[in-house]
């Protein structure tokens, strides 16, 4: 097959309980940009049962949404999902096919790529396309110490998984028009059965937090995480951690930021007692605002920070907590005073 | 498919292990942006140690045999010896110039050819990812090429019989319980177990053990040689560069911690976080 037969960009829309995972909107943002650049269409494939967000996918840039609505697709079964997607890709022949690098995308993507005998670049942090439609895939390699640029010169589609929260979400435009195409799922495979799914209650994933306050090995003992937690609470943020204190079980793995943990992109990231290893940086350097607190002025974290405080965290954080409380106290006092006068 | 436990009495587990440079030893030359692996010690991919331990526990339960396969240069035979010292029964090294430069598709194709050559298996266990390739793709790609079910991010084996497996699979914020019919492939997380160190006497024994080495021609009856190595790899690394442009950092040094705290709160207020 010549590669010129392949046209357009396709995005896998991941859903849970009918709700589309936000990484999908990020893929649509990048997908739209690339499709426009090569003058082709943007497709989206959504699999599940009883989904309602089809219009949203169109508002976020999809020209065509292929919809597989079937009870057998409600939960993620990699064999069912693979079958539908491989059939669709063989029919529609997109030039580029993107998935989120979530626990679902990382299981499904390689299976689809192997079935189609094409390349798949894992965990991309940046994507672009040249005029001929060649996908330029950039990903961290060797524990994030280097960035590798990868191409898939001949095979089509060119496939990539993309980290959540590294790309901009597509703009929503309710005047956009597109087409929803219902597809029939033919599923006979019974080799995998989903017996149960459980989501942990309580604190949401740090991946979704707008503010993260993280602690590292600058903390002397597990109890001292309390100071980090207090700052996070005051700012209504979440607690993050570097790997060593997760490995020592001071805090759960779901709090780990970095290459082997979560990639985060909050509005504000405060790193306390974290040196800034390439592996840690790989998980947080795209944060909108980074403040680092470290007593060593040569700590690499300062190279990535917008503001660097050279100070002992045991000195600075208690003062910070006191100062925030003081100003809040003052503010509430002012407001009450004024409201009393009225 | 020709394999499965029915015609064989033994329960056969295959573990895929890779030799990687010791992570801390990989340095990047700040001037050239080149990777310097010359000083790097070669070790068994740490994630694969968890896979070996899973296979050992299953063998304890069901009996049978654990075979380790690794594709890599000849010196990777030390990784297979390490696997034997940790309790595996057989080690196979896939080594040939023709396997060189393989991406995940070619690697998984080559591994799946070797697995077909072995013939009978019930379960394949992989690590979550390698510290050098770092994709986690090889496992599911092997599963697809062998047309067997798979589960990634397995953090617990709930039950196993000769014909099926129940696992707990990690998700972003919870888990799923899956039942897989055997033969199947799983890739396991670091949290699934804590691999013990191999005993010295087993290490000594493994030093003398035989490691089978298969070349491309040993697999040519099963697979298409064109699909091995660089020629079988659809992806190409076109550039390797330094990670990032440095940001302008405003450093706040000197002064009391009280003054710095005030400055920090000013910044937070200016940015609208308070
Ligand atoms: C394959 C691989 C994957 C990895 N994945 C991750 C990952 O996902 N996430 C991750 O974080 N790491 C990861 N690592 C580990 C990483 O290499 C570093 O070891 C780790 O990030 C260091 O954590 P740290 O900064 O907390 O500790 P350290 O590097 O020990 O730094 C502690 C810092 O605290 C400062 N400090 C000490 N006392 C104080 C004080 N009183 N006040 C203020 N500052 C103080 C010190 O100056 C120092 O800079 C990975 C490593 C490998 C090989
Ligand atoms: N060259 C190889 N030889 C044997 N097993 C491998 C090889 N490469 C990868 N694997 C297996 O596949 C898993 C995922 O590797 P990767 O896709 O490179 O992150 C590893 O943990 C190994 O179990």
């Amino acid at each position: 097959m010549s590669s010129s037969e392949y046209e357009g960009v396709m995005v896998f829309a991941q859903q849970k309980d009918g709700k589309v995972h936000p990484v999908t909107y990020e893929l649509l943002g990048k997908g739209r940009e690339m499709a426009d650049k090569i003058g082709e269409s943007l497709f989206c494939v959504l699999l599940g049962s009883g989904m309602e967000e089809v219009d949203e996918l169109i508002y976020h840039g999809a020209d065509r949404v292929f919809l597989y609505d079937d009870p057998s697709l409600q939960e993620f079964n990699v064999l069912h999902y693979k079958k539908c997607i491989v059939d669709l890709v063989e029919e529609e022949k997109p030039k580029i096919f993107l998935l989120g690098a979530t626990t679902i995308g990382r299981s499904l993507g390689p299976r689809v790529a192997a079935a189609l005998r094409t390349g798949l670049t894992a965990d991309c942090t940046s994507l672009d396309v040249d005029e001929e439609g060649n996908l330029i895939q950039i990903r961290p390699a060797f524990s994030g110490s280097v960035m590798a640029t990868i191409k898939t010169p001949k095979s089509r589609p060119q496939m990539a998984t993309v980290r959540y929260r590294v790309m901009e979400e597509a703009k929503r435009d309710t005047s956009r028009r597109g087409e929803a195409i219902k597809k029939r799922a033919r599923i006979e495979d019974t080799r995998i059965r989903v017996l149960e799914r459980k989501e942990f209650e309580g604190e949401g994933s740090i991946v979704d937090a707008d503010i993260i306050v993280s602690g590292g090995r600058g903390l002397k003992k597990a109890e001292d995480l309390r100071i980090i937690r207090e700052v996070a609470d005051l700012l209504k943020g979440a607690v993050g951690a570097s790997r060593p204190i997760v490995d020592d079980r001071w805090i759960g793995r779901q709090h780990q930021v970095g290459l082997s943990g979560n990639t985060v992109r909050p509005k504000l990231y405060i790193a306390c007692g974290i040196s800034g290893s390439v592996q840690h940086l790989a998980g947080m350097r795209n944060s909108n605002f980074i403040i680092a607190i470290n007593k060593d002025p040569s700590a690499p974290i300062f190279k990535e920070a917008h503001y660097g405080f050279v100070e002992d965290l045991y000195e600075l954080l208690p003062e910070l907590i006191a100062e925030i409380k003081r100003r809040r106290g003052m503010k509430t006092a002012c407001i009450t005073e004024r409201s009393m006068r009225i | 498919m020709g394999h499965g436990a029915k015609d064989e009495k033994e329960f056969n587990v295959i573990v895929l292990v890779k030799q990687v440079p010791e992570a801390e030893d990989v340095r990047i030359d700040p001037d050239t942006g080149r990777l310097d692996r010359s000083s790097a010690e070669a070790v068994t991919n740490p994630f694969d140690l968890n896979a070996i331990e899973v296979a050992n526990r299953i063998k304890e339960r069901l009996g049978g045999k654990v075979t380790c396969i690794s594709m890599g240069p000849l010196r990777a035979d030390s990784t297979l010896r390490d696997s034997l010292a940790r309790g595996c029964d057989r080690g196979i090294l896939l080594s040939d110039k023709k396997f060189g430069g393989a991406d995940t598709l070619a690697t998984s194709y080559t591994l799946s050819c070797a697995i077909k050559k072995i013939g009978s298996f019930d379960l394949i266990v992989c690590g979550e990812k390698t510290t050098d390739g770092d994709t986690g793709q090889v496992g599911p790609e092997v599963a697809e090429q062998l047309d067997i079910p798979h589960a990634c991010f397995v953090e617990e084996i709930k039950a196993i019989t000769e014909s099926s497996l129940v696992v707990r699979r990690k998700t972003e914020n919870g888990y799923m319980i899956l039942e897989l019919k055997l033969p199947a492939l799983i890739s396991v997380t670091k949290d699934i177990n804590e691999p013990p160190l191999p005993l010295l006497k087993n290490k000594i024994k493994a030093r003398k053990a035989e490691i089978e080495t298969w070349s491309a021609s040993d697999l040519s009856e099963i697979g298409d040689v064109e699909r091995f190595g660089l020629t079988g790899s659809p992806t190409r690394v076109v550039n390797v560069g330094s990670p990032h442009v440095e940001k302008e950092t405003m450093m706040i040094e000197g002064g009391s911690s009280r003054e710095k705290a005030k400055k920090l709160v000013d910044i937070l207020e200016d940015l609208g976080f308070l």
Side-chain angles (χ1 to χ4, degrees):
Chain A
M1 259 181 289
S2 84
S3 60
S4 60
E5 275 181 61
Y6 287 79
E7 239 184 74
V9 178
M10 190 179 278
V11 162
F12 168 66
Q14 181 179 330
Q15 59 80 30
K16 187 165 69 186
D17 299 323
K19 207 177 147 10
V20 170
H21 189 291
V23 73
T24 309
Y25 295 117
E26 299 173 0
L27 296 178
L28 286 173
K30 180 51 80 174
R32 186 70 260 169
E33 183 193 312
M34 295 196 296
D36 288 343
K37 194 163 167 186
I38 54 175
E40 294 177 8
S41 305
L42 178 62
F43 314 122
C44 191
V45 50
L46 177 62
L47 301 90
S49 178
M51 290 148 312
E52 287 155 14
E53 270 180 79
V54 181
D55 290 343
E56 285 300 320
L57 297 170
I58 292 170
Y59 297 159
H60 284 86
D63 296 312
R64 247 184 271 164
V65 179
F66 297 97
L67 185 65
Y68 291 82
D69 198 330
D70 191 278
S72 68
L73 299 170
Q74 171 143 17
E75 297 295 338
F76 172 62
N77 178 322
V78 70
L79 294 174
H80 296 179
Y81 275 46
K82 179 211 71 173
K83 176 80 171 75
C84 296
I85 290 177
V86 168
D87 289 351
L88 181 68
V89 167
E90 281 174 345
E91 257 170 60
E92 295 299 322
K93 298 196 174 24
K95 213 172 245 163
I96 293 170
F97 185 73
L98 307 176
L99 305 93
T102 59
T103 57
I104 284 180
R106 284 169 198 245
S107 180
L108 177 64
R111 195 119 204 172
V112 170
L116 296 166
R117 285 207 205 169
T118 190
L120 171 64
T121 304
D123 248 338
C124 294
T125 52
S126 167
L127 290 175
D128 198 0
V129 69
D130 67 16
E131 264 84 65
E132 281 86 57
N134 294 305
L135 186 62
I136 299 153
Q137 308 160 101
I138 298 181
R139 70 176 301 247
F142 294 99
S143 314
S145 54
V146 294
M147 298 303 282
T149 306
I150 294 164
K151 285 191 183 176
T152 311
K154 294 202 186 84
S155 309
R156 295 291 179 269
Q158 307 162 82
M159 289 183 59
T161 63
V162 178
R163 282 212 154 182
Y164 178 35
R165 284 217 174 214
V166 301
M167 290 181 183
E168 297 294 331
E169 227 178 62
K171 297 230 156 46
R172 183 171 185 265
D173 174 1
T174 52
S175 69
R176 272 197 57 91
R177 293 289 164 265
E179 207 184 339
I181 300 161
K182 289 213 168 97
K183 303 289 283 185
R184 217 162 61 84
R186 276 177 237 97
I187 314 282
E188 296 108 35
D189 213 313
T190 57
R191 291 176 295 170
I192 298 180
R193 282 204 304 147
V194 179
L195 303 181
E196 187 191 333
R197 171 162 58 85
K198 175 142 173 80
E199 307 295 325
F200 294 132
E201 304 276 311
E203 45 184 335
S205 160
I206 63 162
V207 171
D208 298 313
D210 279 336
I211 297 178
I212 297 175
V213 185
S214 280
R217 205 145 57 181
L219 293 165
K220 293 191 182 78
K221 48 187 195 303
E223 299 84 78
D224 298 346
L225 259 173
R226 205 184 39 208
I227 323 173
I228 305 288
R229 207 162 274 135
E230 187 167 356
V231 177
D233 285 347
L234 278 173
L235 297 174
K236 297 200 172 53
V239 175
S242 69
R243 190 164 103 176
I245 70 167
V246 171
D247 284 348
D248 287 349
R249 299 184 194 259
W250 291 7
I251 189 166
R253 181 133 341 250
Q254 68 274 20
H255 293 273
Q256 184 182 320
V257 174
L259 194 74
S260 51
N262 297 291
T263 305
V264 297
R265 195 187 188 174
K267 297 199 174 93
L268 173 66
Y269 190 87
I270 306 183
C272 310
I274 293 177
S275 61
S277 64
V278 284
Q279 294 89 357
H280 191 81
L281 296 175
M284 45 64 76
R285 63 158 54 98
N286 286 317
S287 306
N288 284 1
F289 236 89
I290 299 171
I291 295 176
I293 300 168
N294 196 305
K295 62 182 183 184
D296 173 8
S298 67
I301 187 80
F302 288 131
K303 293 213 176 76
E304 291 290 337
H306 298 88
Y307 289 98
F309 286 82
V310 182
E311 180 64 293
D312 189 326
L313 70 89
Y314 287 95
E315 302 285 334
L316 182 56
L317 293 186
E319 292 286 358
L320 174 68
I321 291 164
E323 183 65 21
I324 295 174
K325 284 185 177 162
R326 200 173 300 128
R327 291 206 201 178
R328 287 224 172 119
M330 273 164 61
K331 253 189 224 153
T332 26
C334 290
I335 291 163
T336 29
E337 211 176 273
R338 209 188 300 143
S339 41
M340 270 162 58
R341 242 181 252 150
I342 293 169
Chain B
M1 298 211 16
H3 39 249
K6 298 289 161 305
D7 44 337
E8 293 275 323
K9 277 183 200 70
E10 267 190 343
F11 194 84
N12 284 310
V13 182
I14 291 173
V15 187
L16 303 179
V17 292
K18 188 182 181 192
Q19 188 172 73
V20 297
E22 184 139 45
E24 280 74 21
D25 286 347
V26 182
R27 296 262 177 293
I28 172 151
D29 184 328
D31 299 325
T32 62
R34 285 247 175 74
L35 212 58
D36 175 16
R37 300 169 78 175
S38 51
S39 61
E41 197 77 34
V43 295
T44 305
N45 177 35
F47 293 91
D48 297 346
L49 301 181
N50 300 91
I52 291 172
E53 183 59 10
V54 165
N56 286 340
R57 294 280 84 84
I58 290 173
K59 187 171 79 173
E60 262 177 25
R61 182 89 63 85
L62 296 178
K65 199 162 132 183
V66 178
T67 303
C68 289
I69 308 179
S70 187
M71 184 183 94
L74 283 173
R75 69 166 185 177
D77 87 323
S78 60
T79 276
L80 289 163
R81 282 181 208 287
D82 181 39
S83 310
L84 296 184
R86 290 170 190 276
C88 301
D89 303 290
R90 183 182 176 194
I92 302 171
L93 176 63
L94 312 179
S95 200
D96 196 308
K97 273 207 199 76
K98 290 206 176 75
F99 298 151
D103 68 3
T104 59
L105 186 71
T107 301
S108 58
Y109 178 70
T110 311
L111 290 168
S112 62
C113 289
I115 294 166
K116 281 181 190 159
K117 187 176 163 84
I118 292 172
S120 150
F121 68 91
D122 300 283
L123 179 67
I124 304 171
V125 191
C126 300
E128 178 178 328
K129 58 184 170 190
T130 52
T131 52
D132 60 346
D134 188 26
T135 74
Q137 288 175 185
V138 168
E141 292 194 347
V142 166
E144 177 61 27
Q145 315 220 31
L146 293 170
D147 190 23
I148 56 174
H150 87 264
C152 291
F153 305 105
V154 170
E155 52 182 10
E156 191 190 340
I157 306 230
K158 312 271 301 175
I160 181 161
T161 68
E162 270 82 11
S163 58
S164 76
L165 175 71
V166 178
V167 298
R168 174 172 146 151
R169 170 214 205 276
K170 190 178 84 165
T171 62
E172 272 70 18
N173 203 29
Y175 62 82
M176 287 168 95
I177 307 285
L178 305 174
E179 184 186 53
L180 309 184
K181 278 202 183 129
L182 298 178
L185 180 146
I186 54 173
S187 47
V188 300
T189 69
K190 261 197 118 38
D191 295 321
I192 195 165
N193 54 37
E194 284 185 23
L197 290 173
L199 297 175
L200 185 63
K201 70 169 202 287
N202 294 343
K203 272 189 177 169
I204 294 168
K205 223 168 83 189
R207 232 176 265 160
K208 283 175 267 161
E210 190 215 352
I211 303 291
E212 295 160 66
T213 305
W214 293 355
S215 66
S217 59
D218 289 314
L219 298 180
S220 62
E221 273 178 27
I222 289 152
D224 174 359
V225 183
E226 290 297 304
R227 293 178 65 189
F228 297 151
L230 191 65
T231 49
S233 297
T235 60
R236 288 285 180 279
V237 178
V238 294
N239 181 40
V240 175
S242 138
H244 219 60
V245 275
E246 285 178 16
K247 292 187 179 112
E248 282 279 335
T249 308
M250 164 94 95
M251 293 295 279
I252 292 101
E253 285 174 275
S256 70
S257 46
R258 175 85 188 270
E259 282 158 8
K260 283 187 194 136
K262 279 191 172 150
K263 219 169 258 174
L264 179 44
V265 178
D266 287 343
I267 292 167
L268 294 176
E269 267 184 347
D270 284 350
L271 295 172
F273 292 116
L274 279 178

